[in-house]
Amino acid sequence: MSVQERKQRERADRERLIVATARELAEQQGWDAVTTRRLAERIEYSQPVLYSHFRGKREIIGAVALEGAAEMAAALRVATSAADGPRTRVPALARTYLDFAERNPAVYDAMFQLDGGLAFAREETPEPLKDAFAALLESLGEVAGDGVHPALFTEVFWASLHGLATLTRAGRLPPGDTERRVELLVDRLAVL
């Protein structure tokens, strides 16, 4: 291994450590607790080292969001691949999405609530975000119904899931009715 390759590997390792530490701190104490000073202390590097990887907290949030999008896409694909047909695939997708949001609140916030400097629904949208949407579209496109554009249907279904995840977490919806909400969403919105 050349010196240059070793330096690149070390840089990538440091970047992964910064993102993992930011994510852990955010999940434990919220995003307000994530500062470059605290991150530098936790990873035992100086703040200038952090700034050599990320220009600030916004870029760190973006990196967490991209990592979360990749994880969500993988979880959705695993859940839907195990299902037999749209009648089981769409509810599995919905449950997996809501479960991901519940188990990873800080990551979910980085993905959809906070400014991570990422472009959505544009040409320059990063691949992990495009792939997360594709993971939704793969299952939902087939149930959009006649004359309904599959991507548009997926956007509406996704918006519904996001609303359920956000309102449930905020305590705006009564707890314990998630399964009934998923059934209602699937029965009324998806043409199965």
Side-chain angles (χ1 to χ4, degrees):
M1 174 183 301
S2 73
V3 171
Q4 181 66 23
E5 290 171 330
R6 182 182 51 78
K7 286 183 178 186
Q8 287 174 341
R9 188 187 76 229
E10 288 171 355
R11 180 172 176 76
D13 289 345
R14 266 193 318 272
E15 193 165 299
R16 279 191 294 277
L17 177 62
I18 293 166
V19 172
T21 304
R23 182 176 175 167
E24 178 184 326
L25 186 57
E27 290 292 0
Q28 291 171 353
Q29 300 175 30
W31 278 104
D32 287 342
V34 179
T35 64
T36 54
R37 191 184 103 261
R38 288 184 86 185
L39 284 173
E41 289 171 3
R42 284 211 174 186
I43 66 170
E44 299 177 345
Y45 282 101
S46 67
Q47 284 182 330
V49 170
L50 261 74
Y51 286 117
S52 73
H53 290 273
F54 300 99
R55 286 181 281 189
K57 183 175 177 176
R58 181 180 187 216
E59 285 190 3
I60 294 169
I61 290 169
V64 170
L66 294 177
E67 189 176 89
E71 290 172 11
M72 178 184 277
L76 292 172
R77 287 189 173 106
V78 166
T80 57
S81 69
D84 184 29
R87 286 206 174 279
T88 55
R89 192 170 17 261
V90 175
L93 177 137
R95 286 184 201 99
T96 301
Y97 183 98
L98 294 172
D99 182 59
F100 181 90
E102 182 182 346
R103 285 184 299 104
N104 304 283
V107 173
Y108 192 82
D109 284 350
M111 292 168 65
F112 301 120
Q113 303 289 101
L114 301 174
D115 179 9
L118 304 173
F120 281 80
R122 292 196 205 106
E123 189 68 32
E124 65 272 15
T125 299
E127 259 329 293
L129 298 179
K130 288 179 180 178
D131 190 50
F133 184 78
L136 293 168
L137 181 62
E138 290 162 10
S139 291
L140 296 171
E142 69 180 323
V143 299
D146 294 335
V148 178
H149 192 280
L152 185 61
F153 176 80
T154 301
E155 290 170 353
V156 171
F157 200 94
W158 171 33
S160 299
L161 290 173
H162 175 69
L164 288 173
T166 303
L167 292 169
T168 300
R169 188 164 135 213
R172 303 292 197 269
L173 295 175
D177 287 333
T178 300
E179 187 58 34
R180 289 182 29 209
R181 288 185 190 103
V182 166
E183 289 172 8
L184 183 61
L185 178 64
V186 170
D187 288 346
R188 300 291 185 211
L189 201 54
V191 179
L192 298 178

